[in-house]
Each structure stands twice: as C-alpha cells, then as structure tokens.
Amino acid sequence: MSAPYDLRIAAGGDQFPVSEERPPLSWQLPPAWSGQDGYDLQFRVDGEERALAGVASAWHLFVAWPLPPLRSRQSVEWRVRIRRGEQYSDWSSWHAFESGLLNRDWSARWISPQEDGEDARPAYVLAGSVDLRDAIAQARLYATALGVYEAFVNGTRVGTAELTPGSTSYGDTLHAQAADVTELLRGGANDLEILLSDGWYRGSVGTWRKRDCWGTATAARLQLHVRYADGTETVAVTGESWTSRRSHIVAADLMNGQTTDFTAPPGPARPVLVDAVDAPPISWSPAPPVRRVEQLAPRSVTRHGDDTWIVDFGQNASGWITLTDLGPAGTRTVIDHGEHLDPAGDLTTAHLDSQKPGEAAIPFVQRDEVVSSGRAGEVFEPRHTVHGLRYARVRRAGGDLDPYGIVLRVVHTDLRPTATFACSDDDLNRLHEAARWSFRGNAVDIPTDCPTRERLGWTGDYQIFAPTAARLFDVDGFSRKWLRSVRDDQLADGRVVNSSPDANRLKIHDDPMADAITGSAGWGDAIVLVPWVLYETYGDTAALAENWPAMRRWVEWALTTARDSRHPSRAERSAEPLPHEEFIWDGSFHWGEWLEPKRRAADGTLIDPVMSDPIAWYTADKGEVGTAYLYRSARTLAAVADVLGHAGDAARYRETADRVRQAWQTEFLDADGRTKAGTQASYVRALAFDLVPGELREKAARHLVDLIDAADGYLGTGFLSTADLLPVLADSGHADVAYSVLCRRTSPSWLGMLDRGATTIWEDWDGVSEDGAATASLNHYSKGAVVRFLHTHTLGLRQAADSAGWESFVVAPAFTKAITWAEGTFDSPQGRIAVAWRVEDGHLTISVDVPGGSEAEIRFTDGSTFHTGPGRFSRRRPL
C-alpha cells in the first residue's frame, strides 16, 4: 500500500529546512488516493517521541503546527499516514528540519568594523576564534548581518547561500542563516571569520543609486553552538574580542560592482565596534536562498581593439563572471557588464542611463576589477555584487585572455521549477524560455523589475506576473518573504508603496515627490492579489491570514479616497458628485496602463507619452483603471474573508464590490458594451475582471477584436492588461485572433523581440529598434506573463473555478491549425500533472496524468467531456 510523500514545512533554509516556532506542515497524497478523511502524525522532537492520532480532516496542505511552539535549535523529525474511510495508508518516510535560533536566545553582540570613511567602500574581515575540545558531535553556526556577509570556519566558506542575509525592509525585518559546521571544526583553536560589505543595507539602491538607505554602519552577528559527544556544549559569539581589517576586496557595491586587489596587503587588525547599530528582531526566511544555480560558458570571445575583448554568453541573466586566468602579478582586468552591443559590436549601456528633468544623466555602470598577485590557482569570483548581463567587455593591458578561463555564474533565488512546456511551434517554445529566463534574472531574493537599472521590488510588476511565476516555479516562500516587506513598508494611512523593500523609507521619511506617486491601482493591489494567488495555487491559507490586516487597510484607504476625492473632469461635469461617484477611484495618483505601444511621430521616431508631456500624463483621468482594480480587490477581499471565516467582512466586501462594479458600469460602459476609454486595455480589463454584464460580454469582446483589426492585427495593451489579452480573446470565442496576435513578428510583438535577438522579455515593446539601438531594460518580466496562456490555453491545463491547491483541474486546449501537438507538466501541490495532446488524421488525442488528491475534467472539441480521478487518462476523438 502506498504512503504520503513529499513532506515539507513552510520554511526556507540552506543545507536543511529551518523554521520559526510554528511551521505549517504539508504532504502529498498517495498516487491512487482521491482524498483523505483524516491523518495520524508522529514526531521526534530532540529525540522525544510524540504522536497525534485520529485527526479528522480532508486538508493536507499548510496544516497548522499541532504541538507546543518549538524552542530554539530543536531538531524535529515527523511522518504521516492518512485515512480514507476505514482504509489507512502506509506511514510516510521521515522528514527532518530544525528550528532556528529564535530572537530571544541570541547572546551574540552586533559588531561593526572601524572604517576610514572611504567613498569606495571595501569589504571588511571580522575575525574571532574559539578553543574547542575533541569529540565534537554536532555544531551549528547562526549568523546574520546588516550588509552582505560570508562566514568562514578555519578558512572554509560556510554553506551554499549567496548574498546573505538577503533583501528585507531592514527597519523591521532581518533574517538569519543556519549552517552545519560539524566537519569544519577541530579540537583546539578554531578561526571564525565574517566577510562583510554594504549589500542592500548600505549600498547603492535603485535608479538614482541612493546609498545609506537603511543605515550608515554595517554590522554582523554570529553565534556558534558546539555539542560534544558527552552532551556538554560550548557557545562562541561575536563580541569585544573580535577584530576587523580591510580585505582584498577594496570596493564592493551590490549594483556598481566589486574591485579585488590580490596584491593589497591586509589592513591592520583593529578592535570592532560593539552594538553600534540598531537592528530589528531576527527571524527566519520562508524562502529558499539565493545560490549559484548554474554556469554558462561563453558563446564567443571576440577581440575588440587593443587589450579589449567582448564576451557573449548567449543569454541575458543575473549573476557574476568568474575568472581563473588573471595574468602575471600586477595585471589589472576590468570587466564591464551589459545586455546589448552597439552596431560596432562594442558593449553599450546607454539605454540604462537614468536622468531627471533638468539634471545630468547618471551613467549606468556595472564594473568589476581585479588585480592579480600572480599566485597559482588564484580565482576572481565577485560574490559581493551581482549583475544583469548577456555581454561583458573585458579590458586587460598588455596581455591575453584565455576564453576557457571565463564562466558566468547564474545567481538567483534557487526556486524549484514546477512546469514544462513544448509544442510543435518552436517560436513559442523559445518565447517560453525567454520568459522563464526573464523571471529567473529578476528573482534575486525579491521579485525585481530588472536586474540592471533599478532592481527594485515593484509591486505592480509582481502583481501582474505572480500567476505566471506560480506556474513556472514554486514561489510560495519566495512570495511570502517579499510580502512581509510590503507589509513592513505600508504607510499609516493604508497605502502600499510602489516597491518593497522601500529604500525611500516613506513610512518614516518625508519625501513629497515619492509620496505624491504612492498608492496606485494595480501596484498597491499586490497586497491583495498576490496572497490570493498563493492560496489558489498552493492552498496557502497562512499567506491569507498574515496579510489580511494589510489587505483591509489598503482597500479601506482606496474606498475612502474614492469617496473623498474626485478627478477635476468630474468636478467640471457636476459641482456635486453623482451618486455612483462614491465608488469611482479617480482622485489620486495612478500609473494607469503603463507602457502601451508608443505612437510614432511623422519622422518615425517614437513618442514617449510621459516625457513628451509629463503634466498631461500625470493629471490624466485614470479612474477607469483605478475603479476596475478597486472592484477586483474588494471582490477578492470578500473571498479571502470567506476562507478565513470572517463572515461579516465577507458580506460587507461582497456588497461593496457589487456597488463598485455598478459604479464602473455607470461611468465607463455604455449600453452597447463600449468602454468610455475605448482602448484595447480597457476592454481586456473589463472582460478579465468580470466588469461587463453577461448580456454585453459578446459585444465588448467584439469591440476589442475590432480595435485589434483596426491596428492591423497588433496588440495595443500595456503593463497592466497584456497578461490577460490572449486569455480574454480565447475565452470569448476568438482564439484565432489570440494566436494571430501572439504570432506577429514585427513590433509590437513578442516574437518580434525574439527576432531582434531577445533572450529575455523587454520593458518596452520597441526595446531594440530596426537599426539596433536599445531603449530601456531588455530584461523585464511583466510582458512575459503571456506564457501562462501557453499553459492554460495552448496546453489547456488550468485549475477549475473555486478550486484551491489544484484539487480540481480542467484540460481544454484552445486550438489553432498552426499547432499540431503540445505537451507539458505541472508539479502541483497534489503531485505531478502531465498533459499531452496531438492532432493526427482528423482526430485529437488527449492524455492526462492525474495525481492523488486531484480530479480532472477533460474537454474535447466535439463537445464531449470526461471526468476522472487519480491515474492515467487517454482518449482519441474526432475534431
């Protein structure tokens, strides 16, 4: 008899899972089981056996921790068996994890290096030691920092995580890391070191390269617990006995780059500063760590003039370049990183420069430098910076460059891939890979807009892409970690800031310009919509519960703003607000349908609607967008309240959502199903958000198709609605139009990006012009959300309405004659789903693997449907 499998806790960790006090438990049902009626649990907590028997529950995802809260550093093993009626499964295998060193039990002091105030800030070595006895049974090292750190024991680097402790809103949240260092210790003297640099905490942040956003002094904290075979323990901690010195890393900035001089003598050892910083309580991240995920060898290395080479890795990615050929002693190698070459074949980053009106441009630079000592085996690996790049320009005076000594380490959060996709159209397969790479490059501990110019956790970007990310990767812990920063940064009035962690620190700093553009529909709504994606995809009720107060505060602020503020155009229409205007959200700032395809001037140049007339853009009425999102978030909030058992809130927000919907229809929709804005985006949003009454949906969809026809078959959508364009078309009976738009090859289009060399998704539809000039970022994932359509419609696999955690799903491909087969998998919380279909000899064959805990409905084009539980399904039907 089979057993539950894939036991896991909602926690992160490097070498082993590390939890907080009450980790939720999850497991997958045996392959042949359609469900469970209950379960038994067995635990070993620090070797002490405990059991929980006869629990009556059908739920096996994010089960609340059933024992007393864990204490610091406890070792836990657990297993489960399930019951269906009178039948019991076998016991699962044991799953092991540990609780972290909880905040109250840290005795280590915060230590900071003594600094000389250099503008090019070096990385510092903080050093201590501990004397140990022989017969070491187990050792755990716990560490964190205000900055980026690496820990070393007796000269060996600890763990596999990179860029620790990660990016958080450091005023409120700081994560620590745990490592098993048993094999690195010995009886006698042991050296402990921390290599510390600015990182996100104190280094350059965002478009304008602001520094010292979270503090002016870096610091670290380390605590080593050693247990001997006789059960006694030794604890070593950072404190006054530690020293600091300058390292070979003479400059380190997470954005700008790292300079390592292997010829530089180590700085003098000085006493550390103790407890010179204010730090938040230490907690433990639910996300997997950032790691070196893979490595890429150069596709080409081309000499470009004297002493200069251009290296092409063939893929836009995030990471750093490792060099093993550093040349003779004193050789300086300079590496500039970017994502585009100019027509002459040289690296260019001009498209990533930033400029404020009336001010000089800030040149975009990602530059690493290394000076060789000439020692054998010397390797340059800049782990205190990270770059977005496809190309590198390497300069080395008077020497050669060994192409076999160059490697790109791809560095990002080590997310577990959960989906595969392939079809008969290789262009779509390439598009799928480009979107995957684009998200990977922007998943460096937080979901960023781009890995180059800004690297900010823009809420709007992730609100758009989260449903796609949740298909491609397991992003539950990754998203929950970021959402904590969104909550940390939320303003007192309920507004959600544009990007989190918020380097502007609007919650405590007065910044009128940033404040004026904070609180936008489609951006702030991430606090509602992303947790809902986590619940729908993973069954993660904990994500709903921990974000519930912040969700309410955001929606209540939006409702209050809708009631109390009016756009001037409506004030001109009537001095007193019309009754429905109480629910029109138009009187505050909205980014709106950002980055629609640009119009061209008579000379063919692109017209930027923002820069060409900033005042007109800023003051334009974006109430259609704001009110649509207000409806969607209020409706979602009602659904969240239902799940959490808040019946009163559910009824109130459901009624509020209905009134917002009616107001939107009154203000923005006519009796013929036409939107007042009359744009493709407005129709897509109206249909995707269910704002259009049932009797007008067909007309509204027809108006959308007419707009596409009038644009010669091209899309006209921007930031907020592009992800929904193709699903809306297909679901309204226009799959042929959806595929026609998808397969366009000139701008604006996805395949047009690929034809111009894109390996990731561009920020602008016209990211690279016909003459090869680049504009804006060439690695922005938001428009890559189109690949979800490949899974939900081309492959045809989507979760059933009202299902959570993939307990029920539908397979219903949306066909086009140009595609003759598709296949793919999805590792759902219930187990792996596999779908394959093929058209051959006028017949359609669909095959589906249904995991335990799921049921499926398969729909054929001839109208026949089949329902099936766990197991293998295959049918062949005429088209």
Side-chain angles (χ1 to χ4, degrees):
M1 186 181 297
S2 56
Y5 66 102
D6 192 22
L7 276 63
R8 57 200 183 277
I9 62 169
D14 181 10
Q15 299 165 313
F16 47 86
V18 184
S19 78
E20 296 266 16
E21 298 171 289
R22 299 179 179 86
L25 310 174
S26 297
W27 58 89
Q28 291 182 355
L29 303 187
W33 287 54
S34 59
Q36 69 177 37
D37 296 329
Y39 56 85
D40 300 334
L41 292 168
Q42 290 183 347
F43 296 89
R44 298 172 184 158
V45 181
D46 286 343
E48 178 185 340
E49 295 194 0
R50 305 181 189 181
L52 197 69
V55 179
S57 174
W59 200 241
H60 61 100
L61 302 173
F62 298 92
V63 173
W65 178 248
L67 300 180
L70 293 170
R71 301 187 306 276
S72 286
R73 305 176 47 245
Q74 290 196 286
S75 173
V76 180
E77 293 180 288
W78 68 285
R79 66 177 183 171
V80 62
R81 70 174 181 179
I82 64 170
R83 174 180 58 81
R84 182 77 164 176
E86 300 301 317
Q87 182 183 14
Y88 283 85
S89 74
D90 293 335
W91 282 100
S92 70
S93 299
W94 291 93
H95 176 255
F97 67 93
E98 297 180 14
S99 56
L101 182 63
L102 304 179
N103 184 69
R104 60 180 175 269
D105 295 321
W106 283 76
S107 58
R109 309 280 294 277
W110 282 104
I111 59 172
S112 301
Q114 291 195 40
E115 300 183 80
D116 298 322
E118 305 98 329
D119 186 61
R121 293 168 176 167
Y124 287 88
V125 176
L126 309 178
S129 64
V130 59
D131 288 327
L132 300 174
R133 296 190 280 114
D134 290 324
I136 295 171
Q138 186 192 75
R140 294 289 185 265
L141 185 146
Y142 304 95
T144 188
L146 299 174
V148 159
Y149 81 95
E150 299 175 82
F152 296 83
V153 173
N154 291 321
T156 299
R157 189 175 184 271
V158 171
T160 66
E162 303 288 353
L163 304 178
T164 50
S167 177
T168 57
S169 295
Y170 291 106
D172 297 274
T173 298
L174 179 65
H175 294 137
Q177 287 70 46
D180 181 352
V181 295
T182 309
E183 300 301 319
L184 302 182
L185 295 170
R186 58 185 178 239
N190 290 264
D191 295 326
L192 306 176
E193 290 185 336
I194 300 168
L195 184 60
L196 179 66
S197 65
D198 285 4
W200 287 279
Y201 179 76
R202 199 180 67 164
S204 301
V205 176
T207 309
W208 314 115
R209 296 295 201 268
K210 295 173 63 175
R211 299 207 300 181
D212 301 338
C213 293
W214 299 97
T216 57
T218 58
R221 203 176 185 190
L222 177 150
Q223 193 156 321
L224 174 68
H225 288 255
V226 180
R227 190 177 76 243
Y228 299 102
D230 62 5
T232 59
E233 287 198 352
T234 293
V235 179
V237 298
T238 47
E240 294 175 347
S241 64
W242 282 57
T243 62
S244 72
R245 68 177 188 273
R246 290 169 60 111
S247 72
H248 290 306
I249 302 174
V250 298
D253 187 273
L254 209 58
M255 295 192 76
N256 296 334
Q258 174 176 322
T259 299
T260 298
D261 186 350
F262 286 115
T263 68
R270 300 177 178 179
V272 295
L273 306 176
V274 178
D275 294 334
V277 296
D278 292 322
I282 290 174
S283 57
W284 294 88
S285 173
V290 173
R291 287 195 177 100
R292 295 175 296 170
V293 175
E294 66 177 286
Q295 63 183 42
L296 300 177
R299 176 176 291 182
S300 65
V301 179
T302 306
R303 186 178 286 273
H304 191 83
D306 295 338
D307 305 327
T308 302
W309 294 263
I310 299 297
V311 184
D312 178 6
F313 292 99
Q315 177 61 57
N316 204 347
S318 68
W320 53 66
I321 292 172
T322 297
L323 295 181
T324 56
D325 166 31
L326 302 185
T331 299
R332 178 178 291 271
T333 305
V334 179
I335 312 169
D336 287 297
H337 309 74
E339 53 185 9
H340 193 61
L341 301 181
D342 66 19
D346 194 9
L347 182 77
T348 178
T349 57
H351 60 291
L352 297 169
D353 294 349
S354 300
Q355 186 171 17
K356 293 180 180 179
E359 297 183 12
I362 299 176
F364 178 79
V365 176
Q366 296 180 125
R367 178 173 296 159
D368 295 340
E369 300 185 43
V370 58
V371 179
S372 171
S373 72
R375 289 189 294 268
E378 197 166 68
V379 175
F380 175 59
E381 181 162 7
R383 305 165 83 112
H384 287 251
T385 191
V386 67
H387 304 302
L389 74 149
R390 171 178 171 172
Y391 304 98
R393 179 174 57 216
V394 182
R395 290 175 288 166
R396 177 182 292 174
D400 286 327
L401 182 69
D402 180 5
Y404 296 102
I406 307 170
V407 169
L408 171 59
R409 307 280 192 186
V410 178
V411 179
H412 56 73
T413 299
D414 194 6
L415 299 170
R416 179 173 63 91
T418 52
T420 63
F421 171 83
C423 72
S424 60
D425 188 334
D426 196 51
D427 284 330
L428 299 185
N429 299 333
R430 290 169 55 221
L431 175 61
H432 188 269
E433 279 306 291
R436 286 184 81 253
W437 273 103
S438 208
F439 180 62
R440 289 177 62 185
N442 281 292
V444 182
D445 205 56
I446 60 171
T448 60
D449 57 334
C450 60
T452 49
R453 185 189 64 225
E454 297 177 58
R455 306 189 192 179
L456 297 176
W458 282 88
T459 48
D461 298 57
Y462 201 52
Q463 181 269 130
I464 293 158
F465 198 81
T468 305
R471 177 62 68 96
L472 299 177
F473 297 94
D474 181 351
V475 295
D476 186 62
F478 172 80
S479 303
R480 287 180 64 187
K481 173 193 174 294
W482 175 72
L483 284 165
R484 180 162 179 173
S485 289
V486 178
R487 298 195 304 274
D488 286 346
D489 297 335
Q490 189 173 23
L491 305 186
D493 60 10
R495 280 180 298 163
V496 170
V497 299
N498 287 319
S499 64
S500 282
D502 178 26
N504 291 313
R505 304 194 70 181
L506 277 179
K507 192 169 70 172
I508 61 172
H509 290 163
D510 184 27
D511 185 332
M513 182 174 292
D515 187 77
I517 59 173
T518 295
S520 171
W523 276 252
D525 295 286
I527 193 60
V528 178
L529 302 173
V530 174
W532 185 248
V533 168
L534 303 184
Y535 168 70
E536 285 189 314
T537 305
Y538 307 108
D540 189 349
T541 52
L544 299 183
E546 63 196 11
N547 288 288
W548 168 253
M551 294 180 187
R552 289 191 62 193
R553 291 174 59 211
W554 164 253
V555 172
E556 290 295 339
W557 174 81
L559 287 167
T560 299
T561 305
R563 184 188 66 231
D564 296 344
S565 301
R566 301 174 73 199
H567 190 268
S569 64
R570 289 182 182 81
E572 291 174 4
R573 180 178 67 186
S574 60
E576 293 298 319
L578 302 178
H580 71 278
E581 287 188 47
E582 178 183 353
F583 297 99
I584 299 296
W585 185 16
D586 64 342
S588 59
F589 173 81
H590 297 300
W591 293 103
E593 187 63 25
W594 184 248
L595 293 179
E596 290 172 293
K598 294 182 175 70
R599 295 183 297 106
R600 290 189 179 274
D603 62 359
T605 58
L606 295 169
I607 300 173
D608 187 322
V610 180
M611 298 305 295
S612 61
D613 194 344
I615 299 300
W617 173 82
Y618 183 86
T619 59
D621 176 15
K622 303 184 183 77
E624 178 268 318
V625 177
T627 308
Y629 269 95
L630 179 56
Y631 165 66
R632 188 185 185 198
S633 285
R635 183 187 65 185
T636 303
L637 200 58
V640 172
D642 278 330
V643 173
L644 297 179
H646 305 320
D649 286 322
R652 184 168 76 84
Y653 285 116
R654 194 169 292 113
E655 179 184 359
T656 298
D658 288 342
R659 296 188 68 179
V660 175
R661 186 173 187 257
Q662 292 165 12
W664 187 94
Q665 293 171 354
T666 300
E667 186 70 26
F668 303 110
L669 191 70
D670 69 15
D672 194 41
R674 296 184 185 277
T675 64
K676 185 176 181 180
T679 63
Q680 289 186 30
S682 67
Y683 285 106
V684 171
R685 190 162 27 252
L687 291 164
F689 290 8
D690 194 29
L691 286 159
V692 180
E695 66 274 13
L696 294 179
R697 288 188 64 85
E698 186 175 340
K699 288 184 176 180
R702 183 69 253 175
H703 297 320
L704 171 60
V705 171
D706 289 344
L707 286 174
I708 294 171
D709 289 343
D712 295 325
Y714 286 94
L715 57 79
T717 51
F719 199 79
L720 292 178
S721 61
T722 293
D724 291 321
L725 172 63
L726 303 188
V728 159
L729 288 168
D731 292 343
S732 59
H734 300 284
D736 56 334
V737 179
Y739 281 108
S740 177
V741 170
L742 175 61
C743 294
R744 287 286 180 179
R745 305 211 73 102
T746 52
S747 183
S749 69
W750 293 277
L751 299 189
M753 296 182 192
L754 301 185
D755 289 345
R756 293 186 186 175
T759 61
T760 49
I761 304 301
W762 297 341
E763 180 179 13
D764 283 350
W765 287 112
D766 300 283
V768 176
S769 65
E770 293 180 2
D771 61 4
T775 61
S777 162
L778 301 183
N779 191 354
H780 253 65
Y781 59 62
S782 62
K783 293 182 175 70
V786 66
V787 301
R788 188 168 185 266
F789 175 83
L790 300 180
H791 289 271
T792 59
H793 289 74
T794 304
L795 184 63
L797 173 61
R798 68 199 82 165
Q799 192 169 189
D802 301 323
S803 169
W806 285 81
E807 291 184 316
S808 180
F809 63 88
V810 174
V811 177
F815 290 103
T816 175
K817 292 180 180 179
I819 301 176
T820 58
W821 63 266
E823 60 187 23
T825 60
F826 175 57
D827 292 336
S828 80
Q830 311 297 337
R832 172 161 290 188
I833 301 168
V835 175
W837 62 260
R838 181 175 296 273
V839 174
E840 201 170 42
D841 299 329
H843 285 72
L844 169 65
T845 301
I846 299 180
S847 300
V848 183
D849 288 347
V850 182
S854 285
E855 60 180 15
E857 178 186 345
I858 294 92
R859 301 172 186 169
F860 282 81
T861 55
D862 64 0
S864 59
T865 61
F866 297 87
H867 294 265
T868 183
R872 175 79 172 176
F873 168 92
S874 185
R875 290 287 191 282
R876 185 171 186 261
R877 306 290 294 179
L879 280 172

